[in-house]
């Protein structure tokens, strides 16, 4: 039989297309590991985002497990739908022997385009390893990213290739803004008014400091020119700002290191103030869903403007690479200045219209499952169905059965209760995040270990899990304590549709 090569080639081509298509994310999933379109873990922490030519560009700290340096680089990613991100390369890498060397601190990168010079300017917090220098730095580039132009370096991994495109940004220098100190960094460009840009930062931890500043950049966006407002003695960090069309809102976290706390918001009609009193943006005891503010994504769609809160769900300094992202839509009231970040296990966003779609999942209550050993079901006033399953440790197990699956990777949200933590905003306080750890087994698959960071009494948090069930209704999930230890209480699980577009 004669092989028809063109048919074979067409089949291979169609197969490749199908593989690529099958991997398109359908949802934004707060707290889940996020993979770029090459299949690598997305590493863009404490980031900033900017829209350009119909695409979003996300700049963030590279914290990959294989890069051990304190400062290894700033990564850039691009996306036209906010769901699927292409790696655009290193915007900036460390430079030996300079103030942005591998043993220095370069954090919270934010990029902005300057019309006057037709230049992209990448701003960041610059410091030494003990955070004693408290400066800002800038790098500039004629292009927002370097991917199509620069040659790349290939790094081989066991199962994949990581391409590192050296960034196009040229390091310009670091400085002390207005002759003062600068800690953390946020950037706001007032595109709805005069297009001016502002540096948002704290002036540090010295006794005379603890203030939060809004300072106007000069016309080339390469320096800070004038103090516009100072929040006196608020002792906050991780600032990010947006303009709603009526009011400016600034979000900031308290200073508790990598441990999350309750992010606050202030609002004003003018950047010079008067600014409102502060208020919390999320349910107390969730510590802003265990995240710290970093940027706001403004989606100005044809039907509505949607503003997404974007925060970092940090792990610890030792395992930063496992930190994830919490992006959630915000609702706010321009009459009162109230702003809320509401939890969704997952959602999709239509960047053309600006609308958010929250899919329905199938809920399975823990108390309806099979409970054995020392585990038991008990009343829980804040739980769905009014009950949860507790004391999951030792021989105590919970098994939820008859779960409907699709045979494809699906998101499953585990609603759990871990009240061990003591939330608080004061840095001197007892702020430990006390995670319990569960061992979760899906059907007869190898067990998964799930860290369950604490909330507070009665606070039910939800964590996404990527699960591949068998197609049909014959699936089960069981919960044990990791190494027989105490796992979190389980309220329910919610099974959603497929992770990827069909
Ligand atoms: C930077 O210094 C390290 C350690 O001395 C060295 O291994 C590395 O090759 C240097 N990198 C560059 C780009 O010079
Ligand atoms: C960082 O800078 C401060 C202020 O100059 C200094 O006291 C401290 O020793 C420096 N840290 C390191 C690791 O060089
Ligand atoms: C910027 O893009 C232009 C093409 O638009 C290219 O010629 C140039 O080399 C790029 N510059 C850098 C620094 O990548
Ligand atoms: C802005 O500030 C930077 C840093 O001081 C300086 O290099 C630049 O020339 C300034 N731009 C203008 C227009 O003054
Ligand atoms: C589970 O362990 C407890 C002691 O921790 C024991 O009293 C009980 O009999 C055990 N139950 C089963 C079903 O093995
Ligand atoms: C989900 O799990 C599947 C199967 O292990 C894996 O191929 C896929 O990359 C995972 N996707 C995400 C988004 O975690
Ligand atoms: C964020 C956090 O507190 N993580 C802790 C979870 O538990 C592991 C070990 O049990 C600790 O090493 C982490 O620090």
């Amino acid at each position: 039989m004669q092989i028809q090569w063109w048919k074979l080639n067409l089949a291979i081509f169609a197969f490749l297309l199908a593989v690529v298509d099958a991997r398109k994310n359908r949802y934004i999933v707060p707290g889940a590991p996020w993979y770029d379109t090459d299949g690598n873990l997305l590493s863009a922490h404490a980031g900033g985002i900017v829209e350009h030519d119909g695409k979003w560009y996300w700049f963030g700290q590279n914290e990959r497990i294989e890069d051990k340096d304190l400062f290894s680089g700033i990564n850039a990613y691009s996306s036209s739908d906010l769901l699927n991100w292409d790696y655009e390369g290193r915007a900036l890498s460390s430079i030996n022997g300079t103030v942005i060397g591998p043993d220095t601190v370069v954090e919270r990168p934010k990029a902005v385009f300057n019309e006057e010079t037709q230049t992209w300017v990448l701003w960041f917090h610059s410091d030494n390893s003990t955070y004693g220098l408290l400066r800002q730095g800038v790098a500039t580039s004629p292009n927002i990213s370097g991917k199509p132009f620069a040659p790349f370096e290939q790094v081989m991994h066991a199962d994949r290739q990581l391409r590192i495109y050296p960034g196009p940004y040229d390091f310009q220098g670091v400085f002390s803004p207005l002759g003062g100190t600068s800690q953390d960094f946020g950037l706001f460009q007032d595109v709805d008014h005069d297009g001016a840009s502002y540096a948002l930062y704290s002036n540090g931890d010295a006794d005379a400091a603890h203030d939060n500043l809004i300072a106007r950049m000069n016309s080339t966006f390469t320096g800070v020119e004038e103090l516009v407002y100072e929040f006196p003695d608020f002792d906050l960090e991780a600032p990010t700002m947006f303009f709603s069309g009526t009011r400016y809102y600034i979000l900031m976290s308290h200073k508790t290191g990598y441990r999350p706390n309750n992010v606050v918001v202030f609002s004003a009609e003018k950047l010079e103030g008067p600014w409102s009193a502060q208020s919390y943006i999320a349910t107390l005891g969730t510590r802003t869903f265990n995240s710290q503010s970093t940027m706001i994504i403004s989606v100005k769609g044809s039907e509505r403007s949607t503003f997404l809160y974007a925060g970092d769900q940090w792990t610890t300094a030792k395992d930063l690479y496992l930190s994830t992202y919490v992006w959630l839509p915000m609702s706010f009231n321009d009459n009162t200045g109230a702003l809320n970040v509401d939890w969704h296990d997952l959602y999709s966003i239509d960047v053309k219209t600006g609308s958010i779609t929250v899919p329905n999942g199938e809920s399975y209550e823990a108390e309806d499952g099979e409970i054995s050993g020392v585990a038991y079901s008990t009343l829980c006033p804040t739980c769905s169905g009014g009950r949860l399953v507790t004391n999951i440790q030792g021989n105590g197990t919970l098994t939820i059965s008859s779960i409907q699956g699709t045979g494809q990777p699906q998101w499953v949200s585990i609603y759990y209760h871990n009240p061990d933590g003591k939330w608080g905003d004061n840095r001197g306080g007892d702020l430990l995040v006390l995670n319990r750890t569960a061992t979760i087994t899906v059907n007869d698959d190898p067990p998964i270990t799930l860290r369950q960071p604490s909330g507070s009494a009665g606070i039910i948090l939800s964590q996404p899990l990527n699960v591949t069930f068998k197609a049909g209704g014959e699936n089960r999930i069981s919960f044990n304590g990791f190494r027989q230890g105490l796992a979190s209480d389980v309220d329910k699980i919610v099974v959603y549709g497929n992770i990827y577009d069909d």
Side-chain angles (χ1 to χ4, degrees):
M1 202 187 81
Q2 200 184 331
I3 299 169
Q4 291 179 292
W5 287 107
W6 66 273
K7 273 194 183 167
L8 189 62
N9 281 340
L10 213 65
I12 290 170
F13 184 60
F15 171 73
L16 286 176
L17 272 185
V19 166
V20 170
D21 278 348
R23 305 290 291 194
K24 278 208 132 193
N25 291 321
R26 295 170 77 169
Y27 303 114
I28 292 175
V29 190
W34 206 340
Y35 295 88
D36 66 17
T37 52
D38 293 337
N40 295 310
L41 206 53
L42 216 151
S43 193
H45 305 280
I49 200 157
V50 65
E51 205 184 340
H52 171 60
D53 257 358
K55 275 191 176 182
W56 275 271
Y57 289 81
W58 174 7
F59 294 82
Q61 290 166 217
N62 174 64
E63 302 290 356
R64 294 185 203 281
I65 187 171
E66 58 269 28
D67 296 312
K68 308 288 183 208
D69 292 333
L70 189 56
F71 170 51
S72 53
I74 304 297
N75 287 329
Y77 294 85
S78 70
S79 173
S80 49
D81 61 8
L82 294 175
L83 305 173
N84 297 284
W85 292 91
D86 291 330
Y87 182 51
E88 291 279 333
R90 288 280 150 85
L92 183 69
S93 298
S94 60
I95 307 170
N96 278 351
T98 72
V99 289
I100 62 160
D103 54 347
T104 69
V105 163
V106 172
E107 288 175 347
R108 299 202 168 270
K110 316 279 181 250
V112 65
F113 184 68
N114 186 266
E115 290 286 343
E116 189 179 313
T117 56
Q118 293 290 302
T119 299
W120 287 93
V121 189
L122 184 65
W123 283 71
F124 48 87
H125 171 70
S126 166
D127 228 316
N128 67 10
S129 60
T130 51
Y131 292 85
L133 296 173
L134 299 162
R135 297 187 291 201
Q136 294 170 3
V138 293
T140 58
S141 166
N143 305 317
I144 188 164
S145 71
K147 185 173 178 177
F149 314 111
F152 58 79
E153 183 189 328
Q154 298 224 351
V155 181
M156 301 299 292
H157 287 262
D159 56 344
R160 65 204 158 94
Q161 283 186 4
L162 183 65
R163 286 162 297 179
I164 299 183
Y165 304 94
Y169 285 81
D170 290 324
F171 174 55
Q172 299 297 336
V174 303
F175 51 86
S176 301
L178 306 170
T181 47
S182 174
Q183 190 183 54
D184 260 13
F185 190 79
L187 190 153
F188 172 67
Q189 186 179 24
D190 201 353
V191 289
D192 295 289
H193 295 107
D194 55 3
S197 282
Y198 299 85
L200 316 173
Y201 56 99
S202 145
N203 58 3
D205 297 335
D207 284 347
H210 300 290
D211 309 314
N212 294 93
L213 279 54
I214 301 175
R216 187 166 35 245
M217 295 179 183
N218 66 16
S219 68
T220 48
F221 296 172
T222 51
V224 169
E225 192 174 74
E226 193 191 357
L227 180 65
V228 176
Y229 188 79
E230 183 167 330
F231 294 86
D233 224 13
F234 278 89
D235 205 17
L236 300 167
E237 64 179 13
T240 177
M241 194 193 281
F242 73 102
F243 181 66
S244 70
T246 307
R247 291 183 81 77
Y248 296 94
Y249 290 83
I250 188 167
L251 276 59
M252 294 187 265
S253 81
H254 297 85
K255 293 183 181 174
T256 56
Y258 287 120
R259 298 174 307 276
N261 59 56
N262 299 289
V263 169
V264 293
V265 63
F266 302 76
S267 71
E269 271 173 41
K270 292 196 183 116
L271 288 172
E272 302 76 39
W275 284 84
S276 71
Q278 55 179 319
S279 61
Y280 291 122
I281 69 164
T283 308
L284 286 183
T286 67
R287 301 189 189 93
T288 324
F289 308 110
N290 282 320
S291 74
Q292 182 181 35
S293 43
T294 187
M295 64 190 185
I296 284 160
I297 307 164
S298 304
V299 182
K300 290 172 182 164
S302 56
E303 284 167 21
R304 52 165 303 170
S305 290
T306 293
F307 300 91
L308 302 180
Y309 160 85
D312 294 286
Q313 191 165 77
W314 297 113
T315 48
T316 62
K318 283 190 295 253
D319 51 12
L320 274 187
Y321 69 98
L322 285 175
S323 302
T324 56
Y325 313 96
V326 172
W327 291 13
L328 288 164
M330 299 187 288
S331 55
F332 51 85
N333 180 337
D334 283 329
N335 295 321
T336 63
L339 181 146
N340 276 291
V341 172
D342 297 315
W343 179 264
H344 300 292
D345 290 340
L346 39 74
Y347 57 95
S348 52
I349 180 161
D350 181 338
V351 295
K352 294 200 175 64
T353 62
S355 62
I356 298 274
T357 311
V358 181
N360 288 319
E362 194 65 47
S363 289
Y364 299 85
E365 293 292 338
E367 60 271 26
D368 297 338
E370 189 190 313
I371 303 159
S372 66
V374 294
Y376 61 97
S377 159
T378 195
L379 284 180
C380 164
T382 54
C383 286
S384 120
R387 301 188 80 87
L388 51 59
V389 172
T390 189
N391 209 32
I392 300 173
Q393 61 178 323
N395 64 10
T397 66
L398 162 69
T399 301
I400 299 174
S401 305
S402 305
I403 301 169
Q404 281 287 339
T406 63
Q408 300 289 326
Q410 279 174 271
W411 288 118
V412 175
S413 287
I414 313 291
Y415 278 69
Y416 71 95
H417 179 236
N418 172 2
D420 295 347
K422 295 190 178 95
W423 58 268
D425 297 333
N426 303 325
R427 50 167 114 199
D430 180 357
L431 296 162
L432 283 182
V433 175
L434 299 165
N435 38 184
R436 297 188 188 180
T437 310
T439 295
I440 297 182
T441 312
V442 176
N443 296 328
D444 298 316
D445 297 346
I448 307 163
T449 300
L450 187 69
R451 255 190 211 182
Q452 304 171 306
S454 56
S456 198
I459 294 293
I460 308 300
L461 295 168
S462 131
Q463 260 178 324
L465 205 60
N466 169 1
V467 170
T468 304
F469 290 120
K470 292 176 285 192
E474 297 286 297
N475 295 287
R476 62 175 197 281
I477 289 191
S478 40
F479 294 83
N480 289 81
F482 177 65
R483 295 189 181 141
Q484 314 287 302
L486 183 63
S488 293
D489 307 333
V490 183
D491 176 9
K492 64 174 178 181
I493 66 168
V494 184
V495 177
Y496 291 97
N498 293 345
I499 289 180
Y500 303 110
D501 264 337
D502 301 314

